[in-house]
Amino acid sequence: MSSHTDATRILGVGILGAGPVTQAIHLPSLARLGHILAVRHIMDVDPTVAESVAARVGAAHSTSIDALLGDPDVDIVAICSPHQFHAEQVIAACRAGKKAVLCEKPFAMNADEAARISAVSQETAVPIIVGAMHTFDPGWIAASEDWGELPEHAHTIRSSIVLPPNARFEDFATEIITRPAGAAPDYSDPEVIKGALRGGVMGLAIHDLPLIRRFTPDFKDVEVLEARHVRPFGYVISLRTPTRSIELRAAMNNTWKPEWSFEAVSDDAALRIDFTPSYVQAGSAVATLTQGTRTTVHGPFEHNGYEGEWRELAALATGEKQPPSAQSLIDDLTFALDIAEATVTHVDTRNAVVEGARA
């Protein structure tokens, strides 16, 4: 095959895990990119789900990771399995000689796993990106090209998320097959509260933490000032570093209009980015940048961050772009892990103080 033909051929995608994110987000995104990407193989441990989801896109299906990784039609692997399997599957995809790997967040469970992934990626020269979709949103990218020295001078950073439960958006997007059944949590159990807060950081806040870290040069010195669980699902977490004040807020309920915003403020400039809710595929974020008396609005653009990450993968797979540094991915992960751990520790400490006061 000639190099020209190889550079212009449609790249084959294999997806490990065919749950709601694959069905409601990745397949619609890939359907809009049929000129460069095509789904060739769907793997899921549930054979009925694998077959049904694959049939939607005319792809092969299997219940075996080895079958997908051994499929010569698969150039790019997307890892959408439960997070405890991510590290081993990323490493296996790299060793299988694929052209690029997308891993849903978090791509590892701890720093040791992240270091192993980094080493294998460097050894095999297979680029990896993590599915933090906001970093690939054209609204964020346009703002980053225009914000000047705001990351160096920002003193206050906020992430604010108000969403209905995921299932509502998933059902808007597609007919979901075999959604896991949920149980009513026991909020009288401190371990349940801690688990909910950890899950909130690693499942929801983690989308914005790479953005926050971009504005936090001293991110390794983060401290939790306050952490509260918001029922039925959400959090209010106040953080600080020696030079930054950071607020993380989220609530998932059936009442409010959806909102997902990121803000960074310095003495003489402010950035606000309004992201669209993920599942409704409603286009890009809109970034409003105020510098002195000048206000600039970037967006909306034609595609969102999910489509942006697939465009990035195609460019990485063909060598048109260079991958992000492994250290950057590790720093994003350890920043999230540090916040999750510090949040849980803060709750533990606060509970000990309350119990001591009652004694």
PDB file of all heavy atoms in Angstrom, residues 160-172 179 204 232-234 250-260 275-280:
ATOM      1  N   SER A 160     -18.302  24.719  38.143  1.00  0.00           N
ATOM      2  CA  SER A 160     -19.674  24.628  38.642  1.00  0.00           C
ATOM      3  C   SER A 160     -20.503  23.772  37.688  1.00  0.00           C
ATOM      4  O   SER A 160     -20.580  24.063  36.488  1.00  0.00           O
ATOM      5  CB  SER A 160     -20.289  26.027  38.760  1.00  0.00           C
ATOM      6  OG  SER A 160     -21.615  25.947  39.225  1.00  0.00           O
ATOM      7  N   ILE A 161     -21.107  22.713  38.232  1.00  0.00           N
ATOM      8  CA  ILE A 161     -21.828  21.748  37.402  1.00  0.00           C
ATOM      9  C   ILE A 161     -23.203  21.496  37.999  1.00  0.00           C
ATOM     10  O   ILE A 161     -23.315  21.113  39.165  1.00  0.00           O
ATOM     11  CB  ILE A 161     -21.055  20.413  37.321  1.00  0.00           C
ATOM     12  CG1 ILE A 161     -19.611  20.637  36.840  1.00  0.00           C
ATOM     13  CG2 ILE A 161     -21.770  19.422  36.409  1.00  0.00           C
ATOM     14  CD1 ILE A 161     -18.706  19.440  37.061  1.00  0.00           C
ATOM     15  N   VAL A 162     -24.243  21.731  37.213  1.00  0.00           N
ATOM     16  CA  VAL A 162     -25.607  21.383  37.615  1.00  0.00           C
ATOM     17  C   VAL A 162     -26.207  20.581  36.465  1.00  0.00           C
ATOM     18  O   VAL A 162     -26.368  21.093  35.354  1.00  0.00           O
ATOM     19  CB  VAL A 162     -26.466  22.628  37.891  1.00  0.00           C
ATOM     20  CG1 VAL A 162     -27.871  22.213  38.309  1.00  0.00           C
ATOM     21  CG2 VAL A 162     -25.825  23.503  38.966  1.00  0.00           C
ATOM     22  N   LEU A 163     -26.513  19.312  36.726  1.00  0.00           N
ATOM     23  CA  LEU A 163     -27.010  18.428  35.677  1.00  0.00           C
ATOM     24  C   LEU A 163     -28.133  17.559  36.210  1.00  0.00           C
ATOM     25  O   LEU A 163     -28.155  17.214  37.392  1.00  0.00           O
ATOM     26  CB  LEU A 163     -25.889  17.489  35.191  1.00  0.00           C
ATOM     27  CG  LEU A 163     -24.672  18.107  34.503  1.00  0.00           C
ATOM     28  CD1 LEU A 163     -23.629  17.025  34.259  1.00  0.00           C
ATOM     29  CD2 LEU A 163     -25.079  18.759  33.192  1.00  0.00           C
ATOM     30  N   PRO A 164     -29.065  17.158  35.332  1.00  0.00           N
ATOM     31  CA  PRO A 164     -29.954  16.065  35.727  1.00  0.00           C
ATOM     32  C   PRO A 164     -29.161  14.767  35.726  1.00  0.00           C
ATOM     33  O   PRO A 164     -28.023  14.734  35.237  1.00  0.00           O
ATOM     34  CB  PRO A 164     -31.026  16.069  34.622  1.00  0.00           C
ATOM     35  CG  PRO A 164     -30.366  16.692  33.461  1.00  0.00           C
ATOM     36  CD  PRO A 164     -29.342  17.649  33.988  1.00  0.00           C
ATOM     37  N   PRO A 165     -29.715  13.679  36.261  1.00  0.00           N
ATOM     38  CA  PRO A 165     -28.983  12.415  36.241  1.00  0.00           C
ATOM     39  C   PRO A 165     -28.596  12.012  34.823  1.00  0.00           C
ATOM     40  O   PRO A 165     -29.309  12.312  33.859  1.00  0.00           O
ATOM     41  CB  PRO A 165     -29.987  11.420  36.846  1.00  0.00           C
ATOM     42  CG  PRO A 165     -30.896  12.260  37.680  1.00  0.00           C
ATOM     43  CD  PRO A 165     -30.997  13.578  36.951  1.00  0.00           C
ATOM     44  N   ASN A 166     -27.443  11.324  34.697  1.00  0.00           N
ATOM     45  CA  ASN A 166     -26.947  10.926  33.384  1.00  0.00           C
ATOM     46  C   ASN A 166     -27.999  10.209  32.544  1.00  0.00           C
ATOM     47  O   ASN A 166     -28.070  10.392  31.329  1.00  0.00           O
ATOM     48  CB  ASN A 166     -25.740   9.994  33.529  1.00  0.00           C
ATOM     49  CG  ASN A 166     -24.443  10.758  33.722  1.00  0.00           C
ATOM     50  OD1 ASN A 166     -24.408  11.976  33.611  1.00  0.00           O
ATOM     51  ND2 ASN A 166     -23.392  10.025  34.013  1.00  0.00           N
ATOM     52  N   ALA A 167     -28.817   9.388  33.201  1.00  0.00           N
ATOM     53  CA  ALA A 167     -29.767   8.567  32.458  1.00  0.00           C
ATOM     54  C   ALA A 167     -30.696   9.408  31.589  1.00  0.00           C
ATOM     55  O   ALA A 167     -31.086   8.994  30.497  1.00  0.00           O
ATOM     56  CB  ALA A 167     -30.577   7.700  33.419  1.00  0.00           C
ATOM     57  N   ARG A 168     -31.052  10.600  32.060  1.00  0.00           N
ATOM     58  CA  ARG A 168     -31.958  11.434  31.268  1.00  0.00           C
ATOM     59  C   ARG A 168     -31.300  11.842  29.950  1.00  0.00           C
ATOM     60  O   ARG A 168     -31.895  11.746  28.876  1.00  0.00           O
ATOM     61  CB  ARG A 168     -32.381  12.672  32.052  1.00  0.00           C
ATOM     62  CG  ARG A 168     -33.419  13.500  31.292  1.00  0.00           C
ATOM     63  CD  ARG A 168     -33.669  14.845  31.935  1.00  0.00           C
ATOM     64  NE  ARG A 168     -34.197  14.724  33.286  1.00  0.00           N
ATOM     65  CZ  ARG A 168     -34.536  15.794  34.020  1.00  0.00           C
ATOM     66  NH1 ARG A 168     -34.377  17.008  33.537  1.00  0.00           N
ATOM     67  NH2 ARG A 168     -35.000  15.633  35.228  1.00  0.00           N
ATOM     68  N   PHE A 169     -30.041  12.265  30.017  1.00  0.00           N
ATOM     69  CA  PHE A 169     -29.342  12.647  28.798  1.00  0.00           C
ATOM     70  C   PHE A 169     -29.059  11.436  27.915  1.00  0.00           C
ATOM     71  O   PHE A 169     -29.131  11.499  26.694  1.00  0.00           O
ATOM     72  CB  PHE A 169     -28.019  13.345  29.132  1.00  0.00           C
ATOM     73  CG  PHE A 169     -28.188  14.783  29.531  1.00  0.00           C
ATOM     74  CD1 PHE A 169     -27.345  15.339  30.473  1.00  0.00           C
ATOM     75  CD2 PHE A 169     -29.163  15.574  28.971  1.00  0.00           C
ATOM     76  CE1 PHE A 169     -27.475  16.670  30.854  1.00  0.00           C
ATOM     77  CE2 PHE A 169     -29.312  16.899  29.343  1.00  0.00           C
ATOM     78  CZ  PHE A 169     -28.467  17.452  30.283  1.00  0.00           C
ATOM     79  N   GLU A 170     -28.715  10.309  28.554  1.00  0.00           N
ATOM     80  CA  GLU A 170     -28.457   9.098  27.768  1.00  0.00           C
ATOM     81  C   GLU A 170     -29.691   8.711  26.966  1.00  0.00           C
ATOM     82  O   GLU A 170     -29.599   8.345  25.787  1.00  0.00           O
ATOM     83  CB  GLU A 170     -28.054   7.948  28.703  1.00  0.00           C
ATOM     84  CG  GLU A 170     -26.696   8.148  29.354  1.00  0.00           C
ATOM     85  CD  GLU A 170     -26.472   7.210  30.524  1.00  0.00           C
ATOM     86  OE1 GLU A 170     -27.377   6.428  30.868  1.00  0.00           O
ATOM     87  OE2 GLU A 170     -25.380   7.273  31.109  1.00  0.00           O
ATOM     88  N   ASP A 171     -30.862   8.811  27.583  1.00  0.00           N
ATOM     89  CA  ASP A 171     -32.089   8.430  26.909  1.00  0.00           C
ATOM     90  C   ASP A 171     -32.465   9.423  25.809  1.00  0.00           C
ATOM     91  O   ASP A 171     -33.106   9.052  24.821  1.00  0.00           O
ATOM     92  CB  ASP A 171     -33.238   8.289  27.909  1.00  0.00           C
ATOM     93  CG  ASP A 171     -33.064   7.088  28.829  1.00  0.00           C
ATOM     94  OD1 ASP A 171     -32.323   6.163  28.445  1.00  0.00           O
ATOM     95  OD2 ASP A 171     -33.650   7.090  29.920  1.00  0.00           O
ATOM     96  N   PHE A 172     -32.090  10.698  25.979  1.00  0.00           N
ATOM     97  CA  PHE A 172     -32.267  11.657  24.893  1.00  0.00           C
ATOM     98  C   PHE A 172     -31.440  11.242  23.683  1.00  0.00           C
ATOM     99  O   PHE A 172     -31.843  11.385  22.540  1.00  0.00           O
ATOM    100  CB  PHE A 172     -31.811  13.058  25.328  1.00  0.00           C
ATOM    101  CG  PHE A 172     -32.811  13.814  26.153  1.00  0.00           C
ATOM    102  CD1 PHE A 172     -32.387  14.765  27.068  1.00  0.00           C
ATOM    103  CD2 PHE A 172     -34.167  13.581  26.026  1.00  0.00           C
ATOM    104  CE1 PHE A 172     -33.288  15.472  27.831  1.00  0.00           C
ATOM    105  CE2 PHE A 172     -35.088  14.276  26.786  1.00  0.00           C
ATOM    106  CZ  PHE A 172     -34.644  15.228  27.698  1.00  0.00           C
ATOM    107  N   ARG A 179     -28.743  -0.833  31.091  1.00  0.00           N
ATOM    108  CA  ARG A 179     -28.113   0.088  32.035  1.00  0.00           C
ATOM    109  C   ARG A 179     -28.017  -0.594  33.401  1.00  0.00           C
ATOM    110  O   ARG A 179     -28.955  -1.246  33.836  1.00  0.00           O
ATOM    111  CB  ARG A 179     -28.944   1.372  32.141  1.00  0.00           C
ATOM    112  CG  ARG A 179     -28.398   2.374  33.146  1.00  0.00           C
ATOM    113  CD  ARG A 179     -29.287   3.593  33.278  1.00  0.00           C
ATOM    114  NE  ARG A 179     -29.211   4.440  32.103  1.00  0.00           N
ATOM    115  CZ  ARG A 179     -30.238   4.664  31.297  1.00  0.00           C
ATOM    116  NH1 ARG A 179     -31.402   4.094  31.507  1.00  0.00           N
ATOM    117  NH2 ARG A 179     -30.107   5.451  30.251  1.00  0.00           N
ATOM    118  N   LEU A 204     -16.720  13.214  38.018  1.00  0.00           N
ATOM    119  CA  LEU A 204     -17.330  14.422  37.467  1.00  0.00           C
ATOM    120  C   LEU A 204     -16.354  15.593  37.460  1.00  0.00           C
ATOM    121  O   LEU A 204     -16.061  16.165  36.401  1.00  0.00           O
ATOM    122  CB  LEU A 204     -18.584  14.765  38.276  1.00  0.00           C
ATOM    123  CG  LEU A 204     -19.589  15.729  37.660  1.00  0.00           C
ATOM    124  CD1 LEU A 204     -20.041  15.239  36.290  1.00  0.00           C
ATOM    125  CD2 LEU A 204     -20.794  15.899  38.584  1.00  0.00           C
ATOM    126  N   PRO A 232     -29.084  14.467  46.036  1.00  0.00           N
ATOM    127  CA  PRO A 232     -28.755  13.055  46.002  1.00  0.00           C
ATOM    128  C   PRO A 232     -27.355  12.753  45.475  1.00  0.00           C
ATOM    129  O   PRO A 232     -26.786  11.730  45.799  1.00  0.00           O
ATOM    130  CB  PRO A 232     -29.813  12.473  45.058  1.00  0.00           C
ATOM    131  CG  PRO A 232     -30.160  13.618  44.153  1.00  0.00           C
ATOM    132  CD  PRO A 232     -30.070  14.838  44.999  1.00  0.00           C
ATOM    133  N   PHE A 233     -26.825  13.627  44.637  1.00  0.00           N
ATOM    134  CA  PHE A 233     -25.449  13.436  44.203  1.00  0.00           C
ATOM    135  C   PHE A 233     -24.828  14.791  43.901  1.00  0.00           C
ATOM    136  O   PHE A 233     -25.374  15.568  43.120  1.00  0.00           O
ATOM    137  CB  PHE A 233     -25.356  12.559  42.950  1.00  0.00           C
ATOM    138  CG  PHE A 233     -23.936  12.380  42.473  1.00  0.00           C
ATOM    139  CD1 PHE A 233     -23.114  11.442  43.072  1.00  0.00           C
ATOM    140  CD2 PHE A 233     -23.409  13.185  41.472  1.00  0.00           C
ATOM    141  CE1 PHE A 233     -21.797  11.287  42.670  1.00  0.00           C
ATOM    142  CE2 PHE A 233     -22.094  13.040  41.065  1.00  0.00           C
ATOM    143  CZ  PHE A 233     -21.291  12.086  41.665  1.00  0.00           C
ATOM    144  N   GLY A 234     -23.709  15.065  44.526  1.00  0.00           N
ATOM    145  CA  GLY A 234     -23.017  16.319  44.273  1.00  0.00           C
ATOM    146  C   GLY A 234     -22.024  16.614  45.370  1.00  0.00           C
ATOM    147  O   GLY A 234     -21.832  15.806  46.290  1.00  0.00           O
ATOM    148  N   ALA A 250     -20.933  20.822  42.430  1.00  0.00           N
ATOM    149  CA  ALA A 250     -21.730  20.014  41.508  1.00  0.00           C
ATOM    150  C   ALA A 250     -23.007  19.554  42.183  1.00  0.00           C
ATOM    151  O   ALA A 250     -23.025  19.307  43.388  1.00  0.00           O
ATOM    152  CB  ALA A 250     -20.937  18.795  41.024  1.00  0.00           C
ATOM    153  N   ALA A 251     -24.056  19.456  41.398  1.00  0.00           N
ATOM    154  CA  ALA A 251     -25.318  18.894  41.868  1.00  0.00           C
ATOM    155  C   ALA A 251     -26.000  18.212  40.695  1.00  0.00           C
ATOM    156  O   ALA A 251     -26.078  18.771  39.600  1.00  0.00           O
ATOM    157  CB  ALA A 251     -26.224  19.982  42.442  1.00  0.00           C
ATOM    158  N   MET A 252     -26.430  16.982  40.920  1.00  0.00           N
ATOM    159  CA  MET A 252     -27.236  16.277  39.922  1.00  0.00           C
ATOM    160  C   MET A 252     -28.607  16.058  40.536  1.00  0.00           C
ATOM    161  O   MET A 252     -28.747  15.411  41.572  1.00  0.00           O
ATOM    162  CB  MET A 252     -26.595  14.942  39.541  1.00  0.00           C
ATOM    163  CG  MET A 252     -25.256  15.098  38.847  1.00  0.00           C
ATOM    164  SD  MET A 252     -24.542  13.526  38.284  1.00  0.00           S
ATOM    165  CE  MET A 252     -25.253  13.416  36.645  1.00  0.00           C
ATOM    166  N   ASN A 253     -29.633  16.650  39.910  1.00  0.00           N
ATOM    167  CA  ASN A 253     -30.989  16.536  40.437  1.00  0.00           C
ATOM    168  C   ASN A 253     -31.973  16.679  39.292  1.00  0.00           C
ATOM    169  O   ASN A 253     -31.588  16.828  38.137  1.00  0.00           O
ATOM    170  CB  ASN A 253     -31.233  17.597  41.514  1.00  0.00           C
ATOM    171  CG  ASN A 253     -30.888  18.985  41.026  1.00  0.00           C
ATOM    172  OD1 ASN A 253     -31.326  19.391  39.953  1.00  0.00           O
ATOM    173  ND2 ASN A 253     -30.110  19.731  41.806  1.00  0.00           N
ATOM    174  N   ASN A 254     -33.254  16.644  39.603  1.00  0.00           N
ATOM    175  CA  ASN A 254     -34.284  16.697  38.569  1.00  0.00           C
ATOM    176  C   ASN A 254     -34.912  18.074  38.423  1.00  0.00           C
ATOM    177  O   ASN A 254     -35.936  18.227  37.779  1.00  0.00           O
ATOM    178  CB  ASN A 254     -35.381  15.675  38.896  1.00  0.00           C
ATOM    179  CG  ASN A 254     -34.866  14.252  38.788  1.00  0.00           C
ATOM    180  OD1 ASN A 254     -34.276  13.897  37.779  1.00  0.00           O
ATOM    181  ND2 ASN A 254     -35.090  13.452  39.818  1.00  0.00           N
ATOM    182  N   THR A 255     -34.293  19.088  39.015  1.00  0.00           N
ATOM    183  CA  THR A 255     -34.962  20.375  39.141  1.00  0.00           C
ATOM    184  C   THR A 255     -34.406  21.452  38.223  1.00  0.00           C
ATOM    185  O   THR A 255     -35.142  22.180  37.582  1.00  0.00           O
ATOM    186  CB  THR A 255     -34.849  20.877  40.603  1.00  0.00           C
ATOM    187  OG1 THR A 255     -35.290  19.844  41.475  1.00  0.00           O
ATOM    188  CG2 THR A 255     -35.704  22.108  40.806  1.00  0.00           C
ATOM    189  N   TRP A 256     -33.081  21.569  38.157  1.00  0.00           N
ATOM    190  CA  TRP A 256     -32.482  22.775  37.611  1.00  0.00           C
ATOM    191  C   TRP A 256     -32.139  22.660  36.135  1.00  0.00           C
ATOM    192  O   TRP A 256     -31.914  21.587  35.604  1.00  0.00           O
ATOM    193  CB  TRP A 256     -31.220  23.128  38.393  1.00  0.00           C
ATOM    194  CG  TRP A 256     -31.504  23.376  39.828  1.00  0.00           C
ATOM    195  CD1 TRP A 256     -31.398  22.490  40.861  1.00  0.00           C
ATOM    196  CD2 TRP A 256     -32.000  24.584  40.399  1.00  0.00           C
ATOM    197  NE1 TRP A 256     -31.782  23.079  42.048  1.00  0.00           N
ATOM    198  CE2 TRP A 256     -32.157  24.352  41.791  1.00  0.00           C
ATOM    199  CE3 TRP A 256     -32.324  25.839  39.885  1.00  0.00           C
ATOM    200  CZ2 TRP A 256     -32.627  25.340  42.656  1.00  0.00           C
ATOM    201  CZ3 TRP A 256     -32.786  26.814  40.749  1.00  0.00           C
ATOM    202  CH2 TRP A 256     -32.932  26.558  42.107  1.00  0.00           C
ATOM    203  N   LYS A 257     -32.082  23.804  35.518  1.00  0.00           N
ATOM    204  CA  LYS A 257     -31.579  23.898  34.148  1.00  0.00           C
ATOM    205  C   LYS A 257     -30.110  23.472  34.138  1.00  0.00           C
ATOM    206  O   LYS A 257     -29.340  23.903  34.990  1.00  0.00           O
ATOM    207  CB  LYS A 257     -31.699  25.355  33.671  1.00  0.00           C
ATOM    208  CG  LYS A 257     -31.118  25.607  32.299  1.00  0.00           C
ATOM    209  CD  LYS A 257     -31.224  27.089  31.959  1.00  0.00           C
ATOM    210  CE  LYS A 257     -30.522  27.387  30.631  1.00  0.00           C
ATOM    211  NZ  LYS A 257     -30.557  28.826  30.321  1.00  0.00           N
ATOM    212  N   PRO A 258     -29.691  22.662  33.176  1.00  0.00           N
ATOM    213  CA  PRO A 258     -28.295  22.228  33.142  1.00  0.00           C
ATOM    214  C   PRO A 258     -27.332  23.410  32.998  1.00  0.00           C
ATOM    215  O   PRO A 258     -27.600  24.367  32.257  1.00  0.00           O
ATOM    216  CB  PRO A 258     -28.227  21.329  31.907  1.00  0.00           C
ATOM    217  CG  PRO A 258     -29.631  20.889  31.674  1.00  0.00           C
ATOM    218  CD  PRO A 258     -30.489  22.029  32.121  1.00  0.00           C
ATOM    219  N   GLU A 259     -26.231  23.331  33.724  1.00  0.00           N
ATOM    220  CA  GLU A 259     -25.171  24.345  33.600  1.00  0.00           C
ATOM    221  C   GLU A 259     -23.837  23.677  33.895  1.00  0.00           C
ATOM    222  O   GLU A 259     -23.721  22.879  34.826  1.00  0.00           O
ATOM    223  CB  GLU A 259     -25.393  25.482  34.595  1.00  0.00           C
ATOM    224  CG  GLU A 259     -24.252  26.502  34.601  1.00  0.00           C
ATOM    225  CD  GLU A 259     -24.374  27.517  35.726  1.00  0.00           C
ATOM    226  OE1 GLU A 259     -25.405  28.196  35.790  1.00  0.00           O
ATOM    227  OE2 GLU A 259     -23.440  27.612  36.537  1.00  0.00           O
ATOM    228  N   TRP A 260     -22.849  23.988  33.060  1.00  0.00           N
ATOM    229  CA  TRP A 260     -21.501  23.475  33.311  1.00  0.00           C
ATOM    230  C   TRP A 260     -20.538  24.610  32.965  1.00  0.00           C
ATOM    231  O   TRP A 260     -20.370  24.944  31.809  1.00  0.00           O
ATOM    232  CB  TRP A 260     -21.217  22.250  32.452  1.00  0.00           C
ATOM    233  CG  TRP A 260     -19.997  21.484  32.877  1.00  0.00           C
ATOM    234  CD1 TRP A 260     -18.801  21.982  33.271  1.00  0.00           C
ATOM    235  CD2 TRP A 260     -19.877  20.055  32.961  1.00  0.00           C
ATOM    236  NE1 TRP A 260     -17.921  20.979  33.586  1.00  0.00           N
ATOM    237  CE2 TRP A 260     -18.562  19.782  33.403  1.00  0.00           C
ATOM    238  CE3 TRP A 260     -20.736  18.997  32.685  1.00  0.00           C
ATOM    239  CZ2 TRP A 260     -18.094  18.474  33.582  1.00  0.00           C
ATOM    240  CZ3 TRP A 260     -20.263  17.706  32.863  1.00  0.00           C
ATOM    241  CH2 TRP A 260     -18.960  17.455  33.314  1.00  0.00           C
ATOM    242  N   PHE A 275     -19.835  25.218  29.083  1.00  0.00           N
ATOM    243  CA  PHE A 275     -19.821  23.974  28.315  1.00  0.00           C
ATOM    244  C   PHE A 275     -21.241  23.455  28.143  1.00  0.00           C
ATOM    245  O   PHE A 275     -22.102  23.663  29.000  1.00  0.00           O
ATOM    246  CB  PHE A 275     -18.980  22.915  29.034  1.00  0.00           C
ATOM    247  CG  PHE A 275     -17.510  23.210  29.060  1.00  0.00           C
ATOM    248  CD1 PHE A 275     -16.925  23.775  30.185  1.00  0.00           C
ATOM    249  CD2 PHE A 275     -16.712  22.931  27.967  1.00  0.00           C
ATOM    250  CE1 PHE A 275     -15.572  24.054  30.222  1.00  0.00           C
ATOM    251  CE2 PHE A 275     -15.353  23.206  27.990  1.00  0.00           C
ATOM    252  CZ  PHE A 275     -14.774  23.769  29.116  1.00  0.00           C
ATOM    253  N   THR A 276     -21.469  22.761  27.039  1.00  0.00           N
ATOM    254  CA  THR A 276     -22.763  22.119  26.834  1.00  0.00           C
ATOM    255  C   THR A 276     -22.792  20.797  27.600  1.00  0.00           C
ATOM    256  O   THR A 276     -21.754  20.165  27.789  1.00  0.00           O
ATOM    257  CB  THR A 276     -22.997  21.850  25.336  1.00  0.00           C
ATOM    258  OG1 THR A 276     -21.913  21.068  24.824  1.00  0.00           O
ATOM    259  CG2 THR A 276     -23.086  23.144  24.557  1.00  0.00           C
ATOM    260  N   PRO A 277     -23.989  20.368  28.055  1.00  0.00           N
ATOM    261  CA  PRO A 277     -24.068  19.043  28.695  1.00  0.00           C
ATOM    262  C   PRO A 277     -23.600  17.959  27.734  1.00  0.00           C
ATOM    263  O   PRO A 277     -23.856  18.027  26.520  1.00  0.00           O
ATOM    264  CB  PRO A 277     -25.557  18.901  29.010  1.00  0.00           C
ATOM    265  CG  PRO A 277     -26.084  20.295  29.046  1.00  0.00           C
ATOM    266  CD  PRO A 277     -25.277  21.055  28.034  1.00  0.00           C
ATOM    267  N   SER A 278     -22.932  16.967  28.268  1.00  0.00           N
ATOM    268  CA  SER A 278     -22.223  15.999  27.447  1.00  0.00           C
ATOM    269  C   SER A 278     -23.125  15.236  26.480  1.00  0.00           C
ATOM    270  O   SER A 278     -22.874  15.182  25.286  1.00  0.00           O
ATOM    271  CB  SER A 278     -21.512  14.993  28.346  1.00  0.00           C
ATOM    272  OG  SER A 278     -20.796  15.649  29.354  1.00  0.00           O
ATOM    273  N   TYR A 279     -24.161  14.626  27.005  1.00  0.00           N
ATOM    274  CA  TYR A 279     -24.868  13.629  26.217  1.00  0.00           C
ATOM    275  C   TYR A 279     -25.741  14.187  25.107  1.00  0.00           C
ATOM    276  O   TYR A 279     -26.116  13.463  24.197  1.00  0.00           O
ATOM    277  CB  TYR A 279     -25.739  12.770  27.154  1.00  0.00           C
ATOM    278  CG  TYR A 279     -24.948  11.795  27.979  1.00  0.00           C
ATOM    279  CD1 TYR A 279     -24.605  12.090  29.292  1.00  0.00           C
ATOM    280  CD2 TYR A 279     -24.539  10.575  27.462  1.00  0.00           C
ATOM    281  CE1 TYR A 279     -23.887  11.193  30.067  1.00  0.00           C
ATOM    282  CE2 TYR A 279     -23.816   9.678  28.215  1.00  0.00           C
ATOM    283  CZ  TYR A 279     -23.490   9.980  29.519  1.00  0.00           C
ATOM    284  OH  TYR A 279     -22.785   9.092  30.271  1.00  0.00           O
ATOM    285  N   VAL A 280     -26.091  15.454  25.177  1.00  0.00           N
ATOM    286  CA  VAL A 280     -27.021  15.974  24.185  1.00  0.00           C
ATOM    287  C   VAL A 280     -26.335  16.407  22.893  1.00  0.00           C
ATOM    288  O   VAL A 280     -27.000  16.793  21.949  1.00  0.00           O
ATOM    289  CB  VAL A 280     -27.858  17.151  24.751  1.00  0.00           C
ATOM    290  CG1 VAL A 280     -28.769  16.663  25.844  1.00  0.00           C
ATOM    291  CG2 VAL A 280     -26.978  18.274  25.250  1.00  0.00           C
TER     292      VAL A 280
END
